[in-house]
Amino acid sequence: MKKILWIAALCVAVTAIACSSSKKSGAARDGDFVTVRDGKFYIGDSVYRFVGTNFWYGPILASEGRGGDRARLSRELDLLQENGVNNLRILVGGDGDEGLASHISPVLQTAPGVYNDTLLAGLDYLMAELERRDMKAVLYLNNAWEWSGGYSAYLQWAGKGKAPIPSVDGWPAYMDYVRQFVTCDSAKQLSYDHVRNIVSRVNSVTGKPYVESPAIMAWQVANEPRAFADDSVQKRAFADWIRTTAKIIKEIDPNHLVSTGSEGKHGCEQDIELWEEIHNYPEIDYGIIHLWPYNWSWVGKETLISGVDSACIKAVEYITPHSEMMKRARKPLVLEEFGYPRDSMSFASGSPTEGRDKFYEYVFSLVERGDLIDGCNFWGWGGYAEPDHVVWVAGDEYTCDPAQEEQGLNSVFAKDNKTLAIISRIARNISTK
């Protein structure tokens, strides 16, 4: 009798363990998630490196409301996959008032915790499509810049007065305003609430929690987060906010990676030791940097072609110390934003891109080598869009250039055959190694 009871108890225990394991893994297997081991990305037992792109407007395109175009979305994803691009950096919505100058429209979060359900359904649809296609996404949850809200929206909601608009009030006024964010507890709390709402979401298309989605490579704290002031109190508050946000994500979702969205030392008031500290936090899984040769005055309007060799040298000089820091931390490094204008500062799709192509090819070769960076996302994907205006107007097709920038200046379009050939060749070389 005792033996029978013991066997019965053992069967119950085995069943409980199996159910627990099944519940933990959900529909996705552990091998479907991107992980970090010994300073490299892995999917299962295979090293993962990638040439990806920025596609911030994907959830809007995937929606059935204003701005939505699922037929275009399907064509865009088809073309990206045809060229070996399977990693997309995507914004989880805009925040703030509708109709603001130089701002995303439609807006996802129109008031604290008040969401446009049509856009959330668009995000769900996009993620379901990426799962079906075995593509990966990095989802960023905030923004230091005005074009999607973020810092400025949370501060306005927290009672800090009307947020300045850079195109109207100037950049100094804007940056002076948003420097309050990292020291404003009520604004930060609103951002934490948004993080919790999104990371804990259940996908309405697949029926699965986002924490089980194999399409998510990483959650990201913000796009280009900054302290916006070079003093110890401000920088300490900035670092603490980054870590607190990362901890909240990890508590909800232990399956996926977490990253910062940082520009590198350029986004840490030129304090590379601050960047290193933040990226050494155990809650942060890999390093992030951005590169903008024109915006950072490495090249000018007249030297977009003649100055590209110099821009490549400066790029390596910028990347190298960040790479060395991540090697010491045994974490990968991703160059997740880099852009380069079209020749002669043109905006039209299909217009010459000699300087850009040379810079792209050089950056992609660094991923192929694998000794400095482990992946990259170029800025950005314009695909089949045909901009109607130089600066985006509500109703125009989306490119990856934000509303405050010339539409097409930094975007890669379907007509950019030479650029696509470079992307495709390097992406396929990486995938076969």
Side-chain angles (χ1 to χ4, degrees):
M1 184 67 176
K2 288 182 179 179
K3 185 175 181 180
I4 293 173
L5 290 173
W6 180 84
I7 292 173
L10 180 62
C11 290
V12 170
V14 169
T15 301
I17 292 170
C19 290
S20 174
S21 176
S22 174
K23 183 177 180 181
K24 179 181 178 182
S25 62
R29 303 180 307 272
D30 288 344
D32 293 326
F33 300 123
V34 181
T35 59
V36 169
R37 300 199 306 271
D38 299 323
K40 296 293 179 184
F41 293 119
Y42 281 83
I43 298 179
D45 293 324
S46 299
V47 172
Y48 176 58
R49 286 184 290 155
F50 58 90
V51 168
T53 191
N54 282 266
F55 190 55
W56 64 260
Y57 57 93
I60 301 177
L61 211 59
S63 77
E64 293 185 296
R66 182 163 49 94
D69 187 342
R70 289 184 174 177
R72 180 188 163 193
L73 175 70
S74 181
R75 293 175 69 209
E76 300 292 6
L77 295 180
D78 286 345
L79 184 58
L80 286 164
Q81 285 197 290
E82 287 170 14
N83 286 281
V85 178
N86 288 294
N87 188 293
L88 308 179
R89 183 168 175 256
I90 294 164
L91 171 67
V92 181
D95 319 292
D97 298 330
E98 285 281 3
L100 294 176
S102 307
H103 194 276
I104 282 177
S105 180
V107 173
L108 174 64
Q109 189 179 196
T110 55
V114 178
Y115 293 95
N116 179 327
D117 289 335
T118 301
L119 290 180
L120 283 177
L123 177 64
D124 293 344
Y125 182 88
L126 174 60
M127 297 310 296
E129 278 294 291
L130 298 186
E131 286 187 20
R132 185 176 68 83
R133 295 166 177 269
D134 197 25
M135 300 176 79
K136 300 296 182 185
V138 174
L139 301 175
Y140 55 105
L141 298 159
N142 200 332
N143 197 346
W145 303 111
E146 87 293 352
W147 59 269
S148 76
Y151 277 28
S152 56
Y154 290 123
L155 283 166
Q156 184 167 307
W157 290 336
K160 294 296 185 179
K162 187 171 178 60
I165 299 172
S167 61
V168 176
D169 305 298
W171 284 106
Y174 174 80
M175 290 190 284
D176 187 58
Y177 179 82
V178 292
R179 66 174 294 181
Q180 301 173 93
F181 175 75
V182 296
T183 56
C184 180
D185 290 342
S186 53
K188 288 186 291 185
Q189 188 58 57
L190 294 176
S191 77
Y192 300 148
D193 291 343
H194 175 61
V195 168
R196 292 187 180 98
N197 289 338
I198 299 300
V199 177
S200 63
R201 182 172 174 78
V202 175
N203 189 309
S204 62
V205 176
T206 66
K208 297 185 303 185
Y210 272 53
V211 301
E212 295 177 2
S213 174
I216 297 175
M217 171 179 164
W219 297 101
Q220 191 162 93
V221 172
N223 177 59
E224 299 193 336
R226 289 189 181 188
F228 285 110
D230 188 15
D231 66 74
S232 59
V233 173
Q234 190 83 3
K235 290 193 289 189
R236 178 48 42 206
F238 170 68
D240 290 345
W241 166 68
I242 293 278
R243 189 168 193 182
T244 299
T245 304
K247 283 181 177 180
I248 290 170
I249 296 170
K250 286 290 190 183
E251 286 168 1
I252 300 169
D253 183 359
N255 289 331
H256 294 112
L257 305 177
V258 175
S259 56
T260 62
S262 173
E263 299 151 276
K265 74 173 184 177
H266 198 75
C268 288
E269 316 307 324
Q270 302 302 319
D271 183 349
I272 198 168
E273 286 76 21
L274 176 62
W275 183 90
E276 181 178 26
E277 177 194 332
I278 290 168
H279 289 84
N280 269 277
Y281 293 152
E283 298 84 5
I284 301 298
D285 293 295
Y286 59 98
I288 293 292
I289 56 172
H290 296 181
L291 277 181
W292 288 97
Y294 176 75
N295 297 15
W296 295 356
S297 300
W298 293 356
V299 292
K301 293 179 181 179
E302 306 302 323
T303 59
L304 291 173
I305 297 175
S306 63
V308 69
D309 289 337
S310 175
C312 290
I313 292 170
K314 291 181 185 300
V316 170
E317 290 174 347
Y318 189 80
I319 293 169
T320 298
H322 297 87
S323 179
E324 291 172 347
M325 287 175 172
M326 288 299 91
K327 283 183 172 63
R328 290 196 292 270
R330 301 186 69 76
K331 296 181 180 182
L333 179 67
V334 173
L335 174 56
E336 69 167 17
E337 270 192 32
F338 63 97
Y340 203 95
R342 295 173 174 275
D343 299 350
S344 303
M345 303 295 287
S346 175
F347 313 135
S349 64
S351 58
T353 54
E354 182 181 345
R356 172 191 293 176
D357 292 344
K358 190 171 182 180
F359 187 74
Y360 268 31
E361 186 153 25
Y362 182 75
V363 171
F364 294 154
S365 74
L366 300 180
V367 182
E368 190 173 17
R369 280 167 40 188
D371 57 339
L372 286 178
I373 54 177
D374 300 275
C376 68
N377 297 78
F378 61 87
W379 189 289
W381 185 252
Y384 291 102
E386 289 290 346
D388 293 321
H389 302 93
V390 173
V391 177
W392 188 83
V393 175
D396 287 355
E397 292 184 308
Y398 297 98
T399 70
C400 209
D401 297 295
Q404 84 279 10
E405 295 180 353
E406 300 92 340
Q407 299 298 287
L409 180 63
N410 289 302
S411 289
V412 174
F413 292 108
K415 292 181 179 179
D416 295 332
N417 295 323
K418 291 182 179 179
T419 308
L420 289 179
I422 294 168
I423 293 168
S424 181
R425 174 170 53 81
I426 301 293
R428 295 187 187 286
N429 286 348
I430 290 169
S431 67
T432 58
K433 288 189 175 182

